[in-house]
Amino acid sequence: VITVARDADLQRSNTLALPSRADRLVIARQVDEIREVVSLCGERGWRIEVLGEGSNVVLRDRLPGCVVRPDLRWVHAEEQGERVYVHAGAGVHWHELVRWCIGLGFFGLENLALIPGTVGAAPIQNIGAYGVEMESRFDHLLAVSTRDARLERLGRDACGFGYRDSVFKRDGEARFVIVEVTFLLSRTFRPVTDYPDVREELARLGGPLSAARVADAVIRVRRRKLPDPRHVPNAGSFFKNPTVTEARFRALSARLPGLQGFPVGDGRKISAARLIDACGWKGRRAGGVGVWWRQPLVLVNLGGARGQDVLAFAEAIADDVGDRFGVELEHEPRILGEDHAAG
Ligand SMILES: Cc1cc2nc3c(=O)[nH]c(=O)nc-3n(C[C@H](O)[C@H](O)[C@H](O)COP(=O)(O)OP(=O)(O)OC[C@H]3O[C@@H](n4cnc5c(N)ncnc54)[C@H](O)[C@@H]3O)c2cc1C
């Protein structure tokens, strides 16, 4: 069944609770329906945007064209000895998939517990948390190309994964509606417990180490640090952690004692939160937008904010960090739509 709405209200469909309307919203429950919609949009010249749970987007006032929500909800697994291929529809809630896999003894996703959003959005920014990135558990995906409505199979190389990045996030490249993602998981549990927060939480929980326990520890740490969008609208981390040159890292370390730098290529990845905090932004607000008091990477809608308010506030933070530390901050969420003309 395909559901189509005109002038659809999207305020409850994005975790920042930004007011926005879509000219057309299509909720598709089958791959063929998505192909049909893509063909129709091609014929009519309508731009297509895909929306999952709206947990990594900044929506402007209006999304012209057609917004497609792939409500595809199957999950099945193929076991090949140690290996397990898990195929999941794009509309499956990510955390449900993580729980399903842990319950059946398919290991590898436990550190990614409680990340909001859908399976179909996971490859877009190669979701990651607590030492694991989706890329390392990815096998391939199926997607409908918006160019010709054909179903394509994309392997890892075609997806161009990077840190919170993929080919799907880069404008100007081929555009796709992802309909299914296949993960390669293992029957053997190999714990990843490098993160001090997770290690400490595991010690507190006690008992034997298991995937369920790692997920529990991750969930507890996340609940402590991040605001729940149902109560405080937000889109998780608003900025990516920047990579700086070795020389800049040394200069910054002199000003910010104890600054950590993960070696990445020739440079170091540093904490954007630390830079924002050092500029005094934690807890600050302007109108309806603010910086979460516990985690300066998270911007929150305190009530009444529009997409453009969030973006202006984010720009003020990025400008300040740029002026003081010479480091460029990049947005993590995608910005969709356009604003009403002023006046
Ligand atoms: C409290 C909180 C904590 C978070 N923590 C993390 C974290 O630890 N790690 C992390 O990586 N992210 C995190 N995020 C960000 C977010 O959860 C992920 O990016 C998630 O994958 C977004 O899923 P979604 O379904 O909500 O996507 P949406 O926000 O709906 O869409 C995001 C982008 O993906 C595109 N898209 C969505 N579905 C498809 C599809 N099927 N085909 C093609 N394009 C698609 C959209 O067009 C948009 O550009 C957090 C967000 C919140 C609110």
Side-chain angles (χ1 to χ4, degrees):
V1 190
I2 197 160
T3 314
V4 185
R6 280 176 179 269
D7 191 29
D9 185 348
L10 298 179
Q11 190 158 21
R12 287 167 175 271
S13 304
N14 72 98
T15 61
L16 266 166
L18 298 169
S20 181
R21 302 188 81 86
D23 282 358
R24 295 165 198 85
L25 172 67
V26 170
I27 300 174
R29 302 209 163 81
Q30 287 176 28
V31 173
D32 282 346
E33 292 174 347
I34 292 178
R35 296 187 60 202
E36 257 172 61
V37 172
V38 167
S39 296
L40 185 71
C41 289
E43 284 164 24
R44 305 275 167 98
W46 294 333
R47 183 181 166 85
I48 299 178
E49 293 293 359
V50 191
L51 202 58
E53 291 177 14
S55 65
N56 206 25
V57 286
V58 177
L59 300 186
R60 293 188 184 269
D61 300 339
R62 175 146 225 108
L63 274 67
C66 185
V67 172
V68 178
R69 176 174 302 149
D71 194 15
L72 311 167
R73 292 179 183 257
W74 60 83
V75 183
H76 56 98
E78 274 172 74
E79 293 189 49
Q80 292 182 10
E82 270 292 282
R83 298 165 155 229
V84 189
Y85 291 89
V86 173
H87 311 276
V92 173
H93 181 57
W94 176 262
H95 184 61
E96 290 289 309
L97 176 71
V98 173
R99 285 200 343 210
W100 188 83
C101 291
I102 292 172
L104 290 171
F106 304 156
F107 302 119
L109 298 181
E110 46 282 351
N111 289 51
L112 304 178
L114 211 67
I115 297 182
T118 54
V119 164
I124 306 295
Q125 71 155 2
N126 180 21
I127 57 170
Y130 301 103
V132 174
E133 282 189 325
M134 187 227 58
E135 177 188 2
S136 63
R137 315 300 193 235
F138 176 88
D139 191 70
H140 69 273
L141 60 78
L142 298 178
V144 175
S145 163
T146 60
R147 205 185 305 122
D148 53 13
R150 283 181 35 184
L151 192 62
E152 293 185 26
R153 182 189 198 276
L154 280 77
R156 184 196 307 267
D157 288 348
C159 294
F161 293 122
Y163 161 61
R164 298 296 177 277
D165 197 27
S166 74
V167 78
F168 310 108
K169 226 178 162 179
R170 291 170 217 143
D171 284 330
E173 307 222 18
R175 301 184 71 232
F176 293 97
V177 182
I178 294 170
V179 296
E180 181 186 274
V181 185
T182 297
F183 301 93
L184 175 51
L185 304 182
S186 172
R187 279 303 226 160
T188 309
F189 172 51
R190 294 185 188 85
V192 178
T193 56
D194 312 339
Y195 266 66
D197 282 347
V198 174
R199 267 209 308 272
E200 279 161 29
E201 200 59 51
L202 280 169
R204 219 168 289 151
L205 283 168
L209 193 59
S210 67
R213 194 136 295 196
V214 169
D216 266 357
V218 166
I219 289 169
R220 281 164 183 257
V221 172
R222 294 183 68 95
R223 289 216 166 111
R224 229 180 11 244
K225 289 198 156 172
L226 294 167
D228 181 340
R230 284 171 304 181
H231 307 299
V232 185
N234 75 91
S237 301
F238 205 89
F239 299 101
K240 292 183 183 185
N241 287 323
T243 299
V244 297
T245 60
E246 196 62 46
R248 177 151 318 264
F249 175 66
R250 276 197 303 275
L252 288 169
S253 302
R255 292 169 65 190
L256 300 167
L259 181 71
Q260 306 264 337
F262 275 111
V264 178
D266 306 335
R268 301 277 197 127
K269 190 159 81 178
I270 59 172
S271 156
R274 183 79 197 275
L275 302 178
I276 297 168
D277 203 12
C279 294
W281 281 91
K282 197 145 79 178
R284 265 167 73 177
R285 62 180 289 179
V289 194
V291 175
W292 184 238
W293 64 280
R294 267 198 158 142
Q295 168 51 276
L297 267 189
V298 178
L299 302 192
V300 294
N301 180 357
L302 297 159
R306 285 166 69 192
Q308 57 180 257
D309 302 325
V310 174
L311 295 172
F313 191 74
E315 199 179 312
I317 295 174
D319 284 351
D320 198 11
V321 167
D323 289 346
R324 291 192 204 210
F325 297 115
V327 176
E328 201 181 323
L329 291 186
E330 204 184 315
H331 291 172
E332 194 181 293
R334 303 281 285 148
I335 301 160
L336 305 185
E338 53 192 44
D339 287 329
H340 295 312

